[in-house]
Amino acid sequence: MSRPEDTLPPDLYYNDPVSRQYTTSSRIQKIQAQMTHRALQILNLPPSQSSHILDVGSGSGLSGAILTQRGHTWVGMDISASMLAIALQRGTGALPRKRRKLAQDMEMDVEDGIDDKQSNDEDAGDEEVEDEGEEDEIGDDAPCEGDLLLADIGQALPFRPGTFDAAISISAVQWLCQAESSDENDAPTRRLKRFFEALYVCLKRGGKAVMQFYPRNQKERDMVGTAARRAGFGAGFLVDAEGTKAEKVYLVCSVGGEDVTATIEAMEDVEIEGGAVGAGRGREQKGKFGKGEYKKGSKEWIMRKKERMERKGMVVKKNSKYTGRKRKVAF
């Protein structure tokens, strides 16, 4: 079954009929709920207070309904006007029940794989996601009370620094791995760069982001992880049901000085990307002097050495514009 990303851009693919089909599919609702609960479990937000959360690729608000039921305030952004229109209708309780009944009777959710979320998750309906407390049920008529924004996440995020406590994304990041046009500014690497750099800025110090996505292959997965680390995140991957048709990949990102391993140390099946645990805005680059090596004494060599020392728990001086700068000859 072909992937939706291979057919049309997301704003065209998710037209009115497809958006309605997607939202009214009971199987999609169940899978979306499981992945949203898993993302919140990984975030491990303080239970005693409401958090301000960014829902990246919020669609028709299926994930947002759970955030509302959990007492969080949230902002959702999506490139599909049709999806956001349904989210607005759900927020006001105006989504016609007759339309939902018609879609369910036609069993639209089993035809043509409405989304990659369906095609990758045919076996996911039988899975259970462990979470503390009861799992909130969501449906196409569940309350959706977040603020919504029509925007392309590949063109950065229009929010002030430190706006959000956390961010989640369910099956949206893989769309950034497709070029929208032949323009070099629309290349996947540049779209990912703009997205992660803007996400880093709009999260508070110590904030976290959990993004579930479906990488096409290992190369695409590495491209996403590299973009997150180069933006300054401490980043690692958590994989559920690895090697099965229902495999779920979660990119876990941390802002500031926290090691991402501390965020998910209690989780199983955790994979930490090499060089990903440190925070800050160090650039991970291939060596210029041989295979993976830097010239001894260069700034790049010093930065890598300091990163290794930090991972070992050693105290190192903070980086500055003077790091690695050559000293003048003494008089």
Side-chain angles (χ1 to χ4, degrees), residues 77-150:
M77 59 184 303
D78 201 279
I79 197 174
S80 170
S82 297
M83 279 287 199
L84 293 178
I86 292 179
L88 286 172
Q89 291 176 335
R90 295 176 63 235
T92 59
L95 189 63
R97 291 183 178 275
K98 184 176 181 181
R99 181 181 295 169
R100 297 198 301 269
K101 183 67 167 58
L102 176 62
Q104 291 168 353
D105 290 344
M106 294 177 67
E107 297 182 350
M108 293 180 177
D109 59 317
V110 297
E111 295 181 3
D112 300 328
I114 294 171
D115 192 328
D116 189 40
K117 301 171 193 175
Q118 265 190 310
S119 61
N120 282 275
D121 292 331
E122 290 189 2
D123 300 326
D126 299 328
E127 295 183 3
E128 296 293 334
V129 176
E130 296 181 2
D131 195 6
E132 296 181 2
E134 293 185 4
E135 286 194 2
D136 308 302
E137 297 294 333
I138 64 171
D140 52 318
D141 56 351
C144 177
E145 300 177 357
D147 294 323
L148 301 173
L149 174 67
L150 177 65

Side-chain angles (χ1 to χ4, degrees), residues 218-234:
Q218 186 65 38
K219 180 180 178 181
E220 196 167 281
R221 174 171 155 176
D222 292 342
M223 181 170 62
V224 173
T226 298
R229 296 196 301 274
R230 287 182 174 177
F233 285 107

Side-chain angles (χ1 to χ4, degrees), residues 252-296:
V252 186
C253 300
S254 175
V255 178
E258 182 176 355
D259 186 337
V260 71
T261 54
T263 305
I264 51 179
E265 59 183 357
M267 302 290 177
E268 296 181 355
D269 302 324
V270 177
E271 175 185 343
I272 300 299
E273 295 274 337
V277 296
R281 292 186 172 270
R283 304 285 177 171
E284 184 180 357
Q285 300 176 348
K286 293 183 178 179
K288 300 178 182 178
F289 301 93
K291 295 183 178 180
E293 296 295 335
Y294 294 100
K295 184 177 180 181
K296 186 174 182 179

Side-chain angles (χ1 to χ4, degrees), residues 11-29:
D11 52 333
L12 299 179
Y13 179 82
Y14 288 106
N15 53 29
D16 290 345
V18 172
S19 297
R20 288 195 298 269
Q21 293 171 19
Y22 182 86
T23 306
T24 55
S25 167
S26 59
R27 186 155 63 94
I28 285 293
Q29 293 168 10

